[in-house]
Amino acid sequence: MLTLLQNVQVYAPRFLGRQDLLLAGGKICSMRECIRLDSNVPVTVVDGEGRYLLPGFIDCHVHIAGGGGEGGFATRTPPIRLTDITTAGVTTVVGTLGTDGTTRSMPELLAKANALEEEGITTFIQTGSYHLPLRTLTGSVTDDLVFIPKVIGAGEVAVADHRSSCPTAQELARLASQVRLGAMLAGKAGTVNLHMGDSRRMLALLEEVLQESDIPMRHFVPTHMNRNPYLFEKAMEYAAKGGNVDFTTSTVPAYLEEGEIAAYHTLKRLKEKGIPLAGVTFTSDGQGSLPRFNEQGEICGLDVGKVSSLFQSVADAVRKDGLTLEEALPVITENPARIYGLQGKGHVEEGFDADLVLVEPDTLAIHSVIAKGRFMVRDGKAVVTGAYH
Ligand code: ZN
């Protein structure tokens, strides 16, 4: 089936002005200022009415099979639903286990990723959880990357956190080299996603690994880098040196009161210091639990992270901090596609996957979401739902 999208203002993420797009076979076949088809060609014509057309958003840190559990079994979060992802404009997710690698498993994570792919979006996973040695699918991190197409890296591995396995620099370097080897053999980017905790050691371990080993910096993606003011200062230093930094968009008011930097605000702060945003990504930490700890380190409450916070944060960077959409949009499109090596993703471009989001120009509210050429959301409502919706 052919779909002709007419009269849209394209942010590719670079602004390309008014365009028509022809979608077929899940791809963007053609993008021109004006596309006219012969009347005997069967095509669905959709008038974009001047709305902004953006690349489908990429969220590289989502607990798709559920996460949490830090307050006992009853606090384990449930698996995510397709519509929690699609109504947020997200068309590509990278699933991750998280804190619990004991009652949660890699087979369960892979099965959930396969389910979401069957339901219409694009999914990948990271192998392992918080603790080293990692629990894998095949028994080897390298083999997981080589043999399982959906595995694109390892993580999230906890460092500088009271819930971590207190990994040494040597252990972390060994893990990174296993990822690097598997990625090279399989033609993948190979990322090591590091969960950064509140410890004052911050990036010390990662800096030691980069100094003492020959692993290129691009393999590491430290996340939650906005969780407190001192880690954010380090994030700015690390990004200035060319490192990747990931900011988490899910939050609760209490975190912000305690000093967390709202993800949307990180871009303005980096820009003011003249730090390039090419290595910056946003992820939602969706479906993870958001535990609140008291001064004794005990859990005193839980919330669930929302994938919808991803684009909300980009929109807030535009609305509240005055960035242009061209400046802010790459953190959930072009940048993750490049850092995680996601072919055909992150751009509105001929030959790329037809993963697209239509938003209202004035409010940036999501109007429609297309994944691999198929409308998942239309007029703000999900038109495709998962099997058990
Ligand atoms: Zn985490």
Side-chain angles (χ1 to χ4, degrees):
M1 270 307 292
L2 297 177
T3 302
L4 179 59
L5 257 179
Q6 292 179 316
N7 188 23
V8 289
Q9 303 280 334
V10 174
Y11 282 87
R14 199 164 59 81
F15 184 60
L16 300 179
R18 190 206 167 284
Q19 302 282 338
D20 289 352
L21 283 88
L22 184 65
L23 316 179
K27 304 272 183 193
I28 301 166
C29 294
S30 182
M31 178 164 60
R32 300 273 184 281
E33 280 177 20
C34 181
I35 299 176
R36 291 285 170 268
L37 293 177
D38 205 301
S39 60
N40 63 8
V41 177
V43 60
T44 306
V45 180
V46 178
D47 185 359
E49 295 171 350
R51 293 190 177 91
Y52 292 166
L53 185 77
L54 320 178
F57 310 142
I58 302 170
D59 193 343
C60 291
H61 190 114
V62 182
H63 301 280
I64 57 174
E70 288 129 308
F73 296 110
T75 66
R76 299 166 85 254
T77 66
I80 200 164
R81 296 184 311 173
L82 175 73
T83 51
D84 294 332
I85 299 170
T86 54
T87 55
V90 171
T91 53
T92 302
V93 284
V94 179
T96 193
L97 276 182
T99 323
D100 181 0
T102 303
T103 76
R104 309 263 185 203
S105 70
M106 287 305 299
E108 187 186 4
L109 182 66
L110 178 59
K112 179 63 183 179
N114 286 336
L116 289 169
E117 184 93 35
E118 281 180 20
E119 289 172 348
I121 61 167
T122 301
T123 59
F124 299 96
I125 58 171
Q126 311 192 97
T127 190
S129 58
Y130 265 26
H131 276 209
L132 295 183
L134 294 186
R135 308 257 178 132
T136 64
L137 280 155
T138 62
S140 148
V141 171
T142 302
D143 291 4
D144 276 13
L145 273 136
V146 173
F147 292 125
I148 300 160
K150 283 210 182 299
V151 175
I152 57 167
E156 63 179 307
V157 175
V159 297
D161 191 291
H162 57 100
R163 292 161 290 179
S164 78
S165 56
C166 308
T168 64
Q170 200 182 29
E171 285 172 331
L172 192 56
R174 188 175 302 132
L175 168 65
S177 69
Q178 288 164 350
V179 168
R180 179 169 165 78
L181 176 61
M184 289 171 85
L185 294 174
K188 296 174 180 177
T191 43
V192 179
N193 190 209
L194 298 175
H195 158 105
M196 303 304 304
D198 275 320
S199 157
R200 287 277 179 175
R201 287 194 42 79
M202 298 186 280
L203 294 180
L205 188 74
L206 175 55
E207 279 161 354
E208 198 182 330
V209 170
L210 291 170
Q211 235 159 45
E212 304 297 322
S213 75
D214 298 317
I215 310 290
M217 201 178 202
R218 65 180 161 80
H219 288 289
F220 295 97
V221 184
T223 186
H224 314 319
M225 294 290 273
N226 53 323
R227 71 182 308 144
N228 60 50
Y230 47 93
L231 188 56
F232 180 64
E233 288 298 322
K234 277 278 169 203
M236 289 200 286
E237 271 176 41
Y238 190 71
K241 284 189 274 185
N244 301 318
V245 291
D246 185 57
F247 299 115
T248 302
T249 58
S250 283
T251 190
V252 287
Y255 282 9
L256 296 167
E257 280 159 29
E258 285 164 17
E260 182 184 27
I261 315 293
Y264 82 85
H265 194 49
T266 61
L267 301 184
K268 187 181 180 190
R269 298 274 304 271
L270 287 158
K271 196 184 153 188
E272 281 169 353
K273 292 216 163 187
I275 298 167
L277 301 181
V280 178
T281 52
F282 282 3
T283 56
S284 71
D285 206 4
Q287 213 64 12
S289 67
L290 290 167
R292 297 188 296 274
F293 297 96
N294 63 19
E295 278 165 15
Q296 286 76 46
E298 297 155 348
I299 303 268
C300 58
L302 284 160
D303 294 288
V304 175
K306 299 266 185 295
V307 172
S308 58
S309 63
L310 190 78
F311 181 61
Q312 279 306 318
S313 297
V314 167
D316 280 349
V318 174
R319 290 183 297 225
K320 297 183 181 173
D321 273 351
L323 273 84
T324 66
L325 197 51
E326 274 184 310
E327 286 174 316
L329 197 54
V331 304
I332 58 169
T333 56
E334 179 178 289
N335 296 356
R338 185 185 66 258
I339 292 164
Y340 289 83
L342 310 177
Q343 306 291 328
K345 302 294 184 188
H347 285 266
V348 180
E349 197 174 318
E350 285 181 3
F352 273 55
D353 291 348
D355 292 346
L356 303 161
V357 181
L358 274 170
V359 302
E360 303 292 356
D362 44 351
T363 59
L364 298 182
I366 292 173
H367 179 273
S368 295
V369 181
I370 300 170
K372 289 182 274 187
R374 179 184 180 200
F375 273 87
M376 308 297 281
V377 174
R378 219 164 177 157
D379 287 321
K381 290 194 178 57
V383 290
V384 175
T385 54
Y388 293 100
H389 186 83

